[in-house]
Amino acid sequence: VLSDDWILKADVRHSFKAHTGGIRAIDAHENESFFVTGSKDGLVKCWRLEQAKCQLSYDGHKEPVTAVNLLDGGRRVASCDHSVHIWDPESGRRLFRIGDSSTILCMYPFVHQQVLVLGTSENTLRFIDHNAGTHMYEYRLYPSLSGSLRSLAASPDRTWLAAAYNTGMITLLDQRTGLLHESWKAHDGGILHIEPYGDNHLLSAGPDKCIHLWKYASHTYTHACTES
């Protein structure tokens, strides 16, 4: 990035009607051969990119789907509607359902590990072995960080874990101990999504149609991408 503001540009390869309701989540395979979408219509669909054709539609959810993630190199899918379903994208068979009295608001998979982090309405982060569908341990977030969890992200080098709130706050935790490292106001409105950018940066997206790039350890605002 060479300037304080930059514009993202891309060519539209396909445009098609994917769901009857609004799309709330999307995740793509690392080789970009296929992707999954989750919608307000309660469906999760698997798509092949070249054909733009739906390969499978998972209808196991009873509520709108708020998050989707590909696991194990695309051999499994995790999808969330306040509980988490882990299922086979080839057959559509559900393998596990994770959920209890706590509403699951967001989730994040650890790359190259069989770990899925779940953010709950009780302000906790639950670490799940998604291969076995079992609870491992959990961290409790600080109650002073008011608001509802919206998105999670973790650094590739396994040092920090970030949690974003509907109040526009971001907090960073030590991934190994769960201790609070720092927190700051990232957006005036809520935060829709956060994503790691290398080991030392974090991207945050808000409803203001802006993407902010932050430097880890100083929460320095470095660049913004705005709608053209």
Side-chain angles (χ1 to χ4, degrees), residues 5-9 224-228:
D5 297 286
W6 77 98
I7 304 298
L8 298 180
K9 295 182 179 180
C225 170
T226 58
E227 185 185 44
S228 58

Side-chain angles (χ1 to χ4, degrees), residues 45 48 69 73 81 95 107 111 118 130 144 197:
K45 295 186 178 183
R48 289 291 173 185
N69 287 113
D81 68 347
L95 305 173
M107 60 184 181
V111 179
L118 310 178
H130 62 68
S144 60
Y197 184 75

Side-chain angles (χ1 to χ4, degrees), residues 127-171:
F127 293 74
I128 303 296
D129 181 336
H130 62 68
N131 188 47
T134 55
H135 178 272
M136 300 168 62
Y137 56 93
E138 70 178 50
Y139 294 152
R140 181 166 293 278
L141 296 170
Y142 288 75
S144 60
L145 298 171
S146 60
S148 179
L149 282 168
R150 282 294 177 263
S151 185
L152 301 173
S155 64
D157 65 358
R158 307 178 189 177
T159 57
W160 55 263
L161 179 64
Y165 292 80
N166 65 344
T167 56
M169 293 292 295
I170 292 177
T171 180

Side-chain angles (χ1 to χ4, degrees), residues 18-94:
H19 291 268
T20 57
I23 296 173
R24 299 287 301 276
I26 188 169
D27 194 24
H29 191 271
E30 59 185 8
N31 67 12
E32 299 182 357
S33 62
F34 73 97
F35 61 98
V36 291
T37 55
S39 170
K40 288 183 178 180
D41 60 17
L43 297 177
V44 182
K45 295 186 178 183
C46 302
W47 304 86
R48 289 291 173 185
L49 187 59
E50 290 186 359
Q51 298 91 358
K53 181 179 179 181
C54 180
Q55 301 294 303
L56 183 140
S57 182
Y58 178 77
D59 61 359
H61 291 283
K62 296 182 180 180
E63 298 183 51
V65 177
T66 58
V68 293
N69 287 113
L70 292 168
L71 308 174
D72 292 335
R75 291 186 290 273
R76 295 183 179 192
V77 176
S79 49
C80 178
D81 68 347
H82 300 320
S83 65
V84 172
H85 295 206
I86 297 177
W87 47 279
D88 183 342
E90 293 294 329
S91 65
R93 182 174 65 91
R94 190 175 74 187

